[in-house]
Amino acid sequence: MADTATPFEASASAVGYVYQLRKALHSCVDRHGRGLDWSIAIEAGDDVEEAVEGGRILYQLKHRAAGVAMSDYSTDLWKTLRIWAHGITNNQLDLHETDLFLLTTADLTADSAGYLLQPDASGVRDERKALEALEAARKASTSKDNKKAYEAFDKLSTEERRKMLDRIQVIGNAPDVDEVETLLLERVVSAVGHVYAQSFLQRLEGWFYQRTIRQLRTDGMDEITGDEFDQIFTDLRNQFRPENLPIDEDIAILAPDPSDFASMTFVRQLDLIDVGKARVGIAVRDYIRAFTQRSRWSDENLLLPGEISKYERRLVEEWQDLFAEMEDDLGTAATETEKVATAKEIYRWATREARPRIRVGCDEPFVSKGSFHILANDLQVGWHIDFITRLMAVLEPTGATQE
């Protein structure tokens, strides 16, 4: 089957972009294991551009459906040659220091130029025959799709064409987008183990995609360097150590509207002790972040059996010590002003002083602060000395009405 358009080409273009990003990430992971003296950029000099010691590597990536083959007349081949020929003609591509790679998931037609330009290890590489095949296809073809590519090819001298093909390596039947993910998982297993590999990779890909967007929006070169990647990779790996848990950036920046939570029990608890609007907003923020992060940990099986229950028990027992002390200090004759003032001290302790960690390495403040609000929402902890009776008086009639 030739590489003609199919009814699925619209979605295939989106898959192709994901393939481009995932393949670039795979290159980062691969190079990370061999040193830090490199950089990678997307859509800079080519689909993917790598700067390495001694030069650079340009990649053209083509993701095609199973059964597609790349021949001497294929648009994928000629579009790639057009890009590189244009770079040579306009002195934008130095062949003395640049390697050119065309990676395609398609098969390579036997004895085609692509087939003959496979890496040396293939045993079939022959640049002379490849050039003859391309020139023959150029003369025989009347393809309108390839017209501009043919024109760019025609501008090259025979010597320039020969030098260009000397630098080109074509890799056919390359791993597709799903297979590249599998290759990435195999690499990260060595960093975090099999249990956490999928969760680790999801976060690494999330960072990489966001970082690529930043690079594409930045004027000039903003490539991902080996040092930068090492810092991100190492930090993320540390979050998956047994003494830690990952904190996700998309959760750490959640900023919900406090008015949407005004009727929730933990907010009513704050109303009892006259907490200001700004602090209520902070409480809602911490509650949502902690609730969402804990849910994600649970969904991804990152928590040990019973770990949340044990953590909440520690929080409740620490609170019980202070709450019991407050009850002793206030006695039975305390005024409302005294009750509120003492309750605010306990709330200040829970949000500013108490920092029990779910794991010793997980020191994100919203985890403990938000967890206290989760417990307050379930009436397992409270701030006002009379929080149970006062809130039950508010909540019970609502329940009765619903019945």
Side-chain angles (χ1 to χ4, degrees):
M1 183 187 299
D3 61 342
T4 55
T6 74
F8 306 103
E9 283 303 305
S11 60
S13 62
V15 173
Y17 187 61
V18 174
Y19 181 61
Q20 181 180 351
L21 294 175
R22 189 166 278 174
K23 190 68 180 71
L25 176 57
H26 182 263
S27 289
C28 286
V29 174
D30 184 53
R31 292 201 174 278
H32 179 251
R34 292 181 279 150
L36 304 179
D37 189 14
W38 53 268
S39 65
I40 286 181
I42 307 295
E43 296 289 354
D46 231 312
D47 284 349
V48 178
E49 177 179 351
E50 297 183 21
V52 296
E53 185 178 0
R56 62 175 179 157
I57 304 172
L58 301 183
Y59 291 90
Q60 277 286 314
L61 307 174
K62 308 298 180 183
H63 193 277
R64 295 294 173 254
V68 170
M70 191 175 77
S71 70
D72 290 334
Y73 300 90
S74 294
T75 301
D76 280 350
L77 174 64
W78 282 100
K79 280 186 176 179
T80 298
L81 293 174
R82 176 190 174 189
I83 292 170
W84 291 337
H86 182 271
I88 295 169
T89 301
N90 291 277
N91 297 315
Q92 298 169 340
L93 200 163
D94 185 351
L95 291 175
H96 294 292
E97 61 175 24
T98 308
D99 290 323
L100 307 172
F101 278 83
L102 169 56
L103 271 70
T104 177
T105 59
D107 296 323
L108 302 178
T109 302
D111 295 325
S112 65
Y115 180 85
L116 295 167
L117 291 175
Q118 294 180 80
D120 288 331
S122 66
V124 300
R125 184 173 178 86
D126 191 325
E127 295 93 339
R128 182 184 60 80
K129 285 187 177 181
L131 180 55
E132 291 175 355
L134 288 174
E135 291 177 338
R138 162 68 185 101
K139 291 178 181 178
S141 175
T142 58
S143 169
K144 293 181 180 180
D145 291 335
N146 293 342
K147 183 175 183 293
K148 290 184 178 180
Y150 294 152
E151 292 171 353
F153 187 73
D154 290 343
K155 291 180 181 180
L156 298 178
S157 66
T158 299
E159 182 63 14
E160 286 175 326
R161 295 176 189 176
R162 185 189 64 76
K163 289 181 178 179
M164 180 177 69
L165 265 59
D166 284 347
R167 307 299 293 191
I168 293 175
Q169 297 188 59
V170 179
I171 299 176
N173 197 26
D176 66 16
V177 65
D178 294 323
E179 291 168 332
V180 174
E181 180 183 27
T182 300
L183 293 173
L184 281 165
L185 283 170
E186 290 175 355
R187 287 303 185 96
V188 302
V189 160
S190 62
V192 297
H194 289 278
V195 174
Y196 300 134
Q198 187 69 58
S199 295
F200 178 92
L201 181 57
Q202 287 175 356
R203 288 163 174 80
L204 185 63
E205 283 191 323
W207 168 80
F208 189 77
Y209 295 165
Q210 290 299 316
R211 178 60 177 83
T212 299
I213 290 171
R214 191 187 89 188
Q215 178 233 304
L216 293 172
R217 288 179 172 175
T218 302
D219 293 333
M221 186 60 70
D222 185 29
E223 72 275 13
I224 298 168
T225 66
D227 287 329
E228 178 186 5
F229 187 79
D230 177 62
Q231 181 179 350
I232 294 297
F233 191 92
T234 301
D235 179 67
L236 186 57
R237 181 181 58 200
N238 288 340
Q239 293 184 47
F240 280 86
R241 294 190 182 281
E243 68 275 11
N244 207 347
L245 282 166
I247 298 297
D248 297 312
E249 183 63 21
D250 63 318
I251 294 175
I253 62 174
L254 288 175
D257 185 347
S259 63
D260 294 337
F261 300 85
S263 63
M264 294 192 68
T265 302
F266 80 96
V267 176
R268 292 178 184 269
Q269 291 236 41
L270 300 178
D271 293 339
L272 290 179
I273 61 173
D274 297 327
V275 169
K277 183 178 180 180
R279 293 177 72 195
V280 170
I282 293 172
V284 169
R285 179 199 70 190
D286 290 337
Y287 171 89
I288 288 299
R289 290 179 181 178
F291 185 89
T292 307
Q293 186 67 78
R294 286 168 38 156
S295 297
R296 185 174 293 177
W297 288 338
S298 179
D299 291 343
E300 296 182 15
N301 297 315
L302 299 179
L303 296 168
L304 300 173
E307 190 166 14
I308 287 291
S309 298
K310 292 176 183 177
Y311 179 57
E312 290 185 340
R313 175 186 58 76
R314 288 164 49 207
L315 296 179
V316 170
E317 289 180 353
E318 289 198 30
W319 165 84
Q320 285 174 335
D321 287 342
L322 283 180
F323 197 80
E325 183 179 336
M326 177 179 69
E327 290 177 314
D328 289 344
D329 291 344
L330 285 174
T332 58
T335 65
E336 181 62 19
T337 299
E338 291 172 329
K339 291 179 179 180
V340 169
T342 309
K344 285 185 174 181
E345 290 180 9
I346 291 188
Y347 183 65
R348 186 179 299 111
W349 163 84
T351 56
R352 295 179 61 182
E353 300 176 26
R355 286 291 184 272
R357 301 178 182 180
I358 186 168
R359 291 187 188 172
V360 66
C362 186
D363 58 358
E364 175 58 53
F366 75 68
V367 175
S368 60
K369 294 194 295 180
S371 292
F372 269 120
H373 290 303
I374 292 172
L375 291 168
N377 201 59
D378 292 336
L379 295 180
Q380 294 186 63
V381 305
W383 321 119
H384 194 285
I385 193 169
D386 301 322
F387 77 94
I388 291 289
T389 55
R390 294 196 182 189
L391 288 173
M392 292 305 295
V394 174
L395 298 173
E396 281 185 347
T398 302
T401 301
Q402 290 176 340
E403 291 177 1

